[in-house]
Amino acid sequence: MKNAPTIGVFDSGFGGLTVLRALTERMPRARFVFVGDTARLPYGSKSRRTVARYAAESAQFLVREQGAQFLVIACNTASALALDAIKDAVSVPVLGVIEPGAQAARAASQTGDVLVMATDATVQSHAYAAACGAQGLRAMEKACPLLVPLVEEGWTEHAVTEEVVRIYVNEMRAEAQARGMDADTLVLGCTHYPLLRPVIERVLAEGAGRAMRVIDSAESTAEAAVRLFDGQGRTREGAVAQTEIRCFATDSVEKFERLGSKFLGRPVGKVDLLDLGG
Ligand code: DGL
């Protein structure tokens, strides 16, 4: 198994399993090692310096101790605040979720105006505005800090969650309109939000506003990973017969096994406890 191509996937918690799910669907013969830094979640309310330190530690574990040849940063906050720090910390190619999300938005949008829902830290970094700007798009970012805890609570189909989503979406649309934007695309700029996609799409369909295309950055990142890594034939050489997934969590492995299966869409299997320090 030594030569099997190994892809390291990292998130602050469980949300990145939505990216892992999309990756395994597209690269069924690779080995994946996932780290969920659940002990230090949420990253979305922390400073750049702290997120960069945490993310670099996980990246080094994946490369040095697990032999990852390619890293996917399956966390919008870490991608927004720490992509350069992660690239400096390891010597393998690193892919974040922001760039692929912005590229998918460009492919989807006809008006050139897009909205982005994300954590506080991601919004404050304006990483999406910059990445979308580089694609010739105008982006407005909206911090939605209540959504991660609601997903973590398992309230993905719940009246409270739907009302919270409605408030965020209405505020976002009103603000976009006040800026003279004609947005037709919404980027889910947090790895927890794909689990809320049905609620978000229902709420978007309410009222008389323009129909919106929803971009899941997990899907676009997996497609970019295939182009970058699998495109070089690397998961064909020494490939495994079927997807292998090994998960590490820095806090309760029982909770990770329970919640993680929901994000991954199938049982995550045995999860190992990882101590990355404080
Ligand atoms: N994984 C984070 C993201 O995609 C959300 C959870 C957190 O705040 O750590 O932004």
Side-chain angles (χ1 to χ4, degrees):
M1 213 47 65
K2 208 163 151 250
N3 295 325
T6 301
I7 300 171
V9 184
F10 157 72
D11 182 36
S12 56
F14 316 94
L17 291 169
T18 57
V19 180
L20 181 59
R21 178 184 191 160
L23 283 166
T24 56
E25 282 163 8
R26 288 162 180 81
M27 290 191 252
R29 301 188 65 201
R31 258 180 90 207
F32 295 92
V33 184
F34 183 92
V35 169
D37 192 7
T38 43
R40 306 189 287 196
L41 175 116
Y43 283 14
S45 54
K46 295 193 170 70
S47 69
R48 183 183 295 272
R49 193 188 163 118
T50 301
V51 171
R53 177 164 65 84
Y54 289 174
E57 284 169 4
S58 290
Q60 284 169 340
F61 168 77
L62 284 166
V63 173
R64 293 182 191 165
E65 293 180 42
Q66 296 299 315
Q69 296 143 287
F70 180 62
L71 282 189
V72 178
I73 308 307
C75 174
N76 285 264
T77 306
S79 300
L81 275 71
L83 194 61
D84 289 341
I86 297 167
K87 286 180 175 169
D88 287 347
V90 293
S91 54
V92 302
V94 180
L95 177 70
V97 285
I98 309 274
E99 206 65 48
Q103 283 167 4
R106 190 191 55 179
S109 178
Q110 294 189 340
T111 63
D113 283 346
V114 308
L115 304 176
V116 182
M117 296 169 86
T119 65
D120 243 330
T122 299
V123 169
Q124 278 174 38
S125 76
H126 296 303
Y128 268 106
C132 288
Q135 300 288 333
L137 299 170
R138 191 158 58 142
M140 196 194 84
E141 301 148 301
K142 170 80 177 160
C144 305
L146 294 176
L147 298 185
V148 166
L150 287 167
V151 173
E152 299 265 313
E153 193 56 37
W155 287 16
T156 48
E157 278 295 343
H158 193 289
V160 168
T161 309
E162 183 159 328
E163 193 49 29
V164 172
V165 167
R166 187 171 291 112
I167 292 168
Y168 283 143
V169 165
N170 288 344
E171 281 178 4
M172 185 170 63
R173 281 189 142 164
E175 208 179 313
Q177 209 176 3
R179 291 190 195 182
M181 293 176 76
D182 183 18
D184 64 350
T185 302
L186 172 70
V187 179
L188 304 181
C190 171
T191 47
H192 279 60
Y193 300 174
L195 272 88
L196 297 175
R197 187 172 181 152
V199 181
I200 292 170
E201 287 186 327
R202 260 201 321 274
V203 169
L204 283 172
E206 294 171 358
R210 182 189 267 284
M212 302 274 273
R213 295 277 302 272
V214 175
I215 303 295
D216 174 352
S217 56
E219 298 284 334
S220 26
T221 301
E223 275 153 27
V226 170
R227 282 194 299 277
L228 278 173
F229 191 72
D230 205 30
Q232 302 162 7
R234 294 175 70 177
T235 56
R236 285 184 285 282
E237 299 157 18
V240 288
Q242 58 184 37
T243 310
E244 284 182 15
I245 299 176
R246 182 155 185 213
C247 291
F248 292 87
T250 57
D251 196 11
S252 164
V253 293
E254 294 76 22
K255 185 176 178 194
F256 194 96
E257 283 163 6
R258 190 166 32 83
L259 258 180
S261 306
K262 215 169 161 174
F263 284 83
L264 189 61
R266 59 170 149 153
V268 290
K270 187 183 164 302
V271 177
D272 290 301
L273 186 65
L274 171 67
D275 185 358
L276 287 173

